[in-house]
Amino acid sequence: EDQVTQSPEALRLQEGESSSLNCSYTVSGLRGLFWYRQDPGKGPEFLFTLYSAGEEKEKERLKATLTKKESFLHITAPKPEDSATYLCAVQAGNTDKLIFGTGTRLQVFP
Amino acid sequence: NAGVTQTPKFQVLKTGQSMTLQCAQDMNHEYMSWYRQDPGMGLRLIHYSVGAGITDQGEVPNGYNVSRSTTEDFPLRLLSAAPSQTSVYFCASSQGVRDQPQHFGDGTRLSIL
């Protein structure tokens, strides 16, 4: 069964304290892995798409990487405005559907 | 550019009532979908559409109906509301069917009493 697991569930960081969020997946043939950011009361906002192992994408303080079993979202020197829930989703095989993880809730304190 | 617009933002229903959640996108996207988001469960796909006139079931379709008569609109109908359908509902759209990031609306918060 296709599955996506995110860890940790919650993460508290001091401003400037770098860390990583994990998304591990089990799917039959990965077509794409997606990272989203979700602020309270809002819909998910697209961040990155990764398609193959070894691929990396960067945007400001965020960097996403992909292996055959997991993806990491690295946050370098985070700021309070990076506080949000980060969601990972995969699209597998010949399906038209996305499978979402339950997210990591990140809080960055000044 | 409005993107994906969902109405209403909040709704309270009584058990057994029916209602329609509206979703419209102005990006000429082929693919549209409906999700529900519940605490600790992540986003779960209810129904999706790969183009006007074509719809299919997702992971949790029971109790919901959809139709896609135009490219822009994809309404979700609750036939007879149940407390288990209390959730936050998100509509999303994407350029293509596969490998494309989805753009989400800001959700409808629905409570069934």
Side-chain angles (χ1 to χ4, degrees):
Chain A
E1 182 183 349
D2 297 333
Q3 196 168 4
V4 177
T5 303
Q6 290 189 247
S7 62
E9 289 187 13
L11 183 61
R12 294 164 57 99
L13 298 175
Q14 201 73 30
E15 184 172 3
E17 180 187 2
S18 301
S19 188
S20 296
L21 282 56
N22 178 264
C23 172
S24 63
Y25 61 91
T26 306
V27 294
S28 50
L30 179 72
R31 295 192 64 86
L33 185 142
F34 303 83
W35 281 100
Y36 290 86
R37 168 191 171 127
Q38 187 174 22
D39 293 300
K42 297 290 187 180
E45 176 187 351
F46 170 71
L47 292 173
F48 303 109
T49 308
L50 302 167
Y51 294 104
S52 58
E55 189 174 0
E56 299 181 351
K57 294 272 181 74
E58 284 189 69
K59 180 181 180 180
E60 296 180 353
R61 294 177 293 283
L62 300 177
K63 178 180 178 180
T65 62
L66 181 65
T67 72
K68 289 185 178 180
K69 293 184 178 181
E70 59 191 349
S71 176
F72 290 95
L73 186 64
H74 306 279
I75 303 177
T76 302
K79 298 182 178 181
E81 52 261 43
D82 294 322
S83 297
T85 296
Y86 291 85
L87 303 174
C88 169
V90 298
Q91 191 171 43
N94 292 319
T95 181
D96 298 329
K97 307 170 188 176
L98 277 184
I99 303 167
F100 279 85
T102 54
T104 293
R105 188 175 72 256
L106 173 66
Q107 293 177 292
V108 182
F109 295 92
Chain B
N1 190 344
V4 178
T5 302
Q6 292 185 239
T7 56
K9 294 188 183 304
F10 303 93
Q11 185 71 48
V12 179
L13 291 177
K14 294 181 179 179
T15 298
Q17 288 185 314
S18 62
M19 80 160 294
T20 299
L21 279 61
Q22 301 292 343
C23 175
Q25 53 93 6
D26 62 0
M27 298 172 283
N28 200 33
H29 284 171
E30 299 174 20
Y31 184 94
M32 296 187 73
S33 54
W34 276 101
Y35 294 86
R36 59 179 289 174
Q37 188 175 41
D38 302 292
M41 299 197 72
L43 285 155
R44 291 183 293 167
L45 183 65
I46 304 171
H47 284 288
Y48 66 99
S49 169
V50 300
I54 305 169
T55 63
D56 207 346
Q57 295 182 350
E59 180 185 357
V60 287
N62 292 341
Y64 307 95
N65 269 358
V66 292
S67 60
R68 184 97 179 268
S69 56
T70 67
T71 300
E72 295 79 17
D73 300 300
F74 191 43
L76 178 71
R77 281 181 285 276
L78 278 70
L79 308 174
S80 178
S84 60
Q85 293 178 305
T86 293
S87 187
V88 182
Y89 291 84
F90 289 100
C91 179
S93 72
S94 62
Q95 181 69 38
V97 174
R98 297 173 183 167
D99 307 343
Q100 299 300 313
Q102 295 193 26
H103 302 264
F104 286 82
D106 281 338
T108 294
R109 283 142 190 85
L110 182 62
S111 293
I112 315 295
L113 305 178

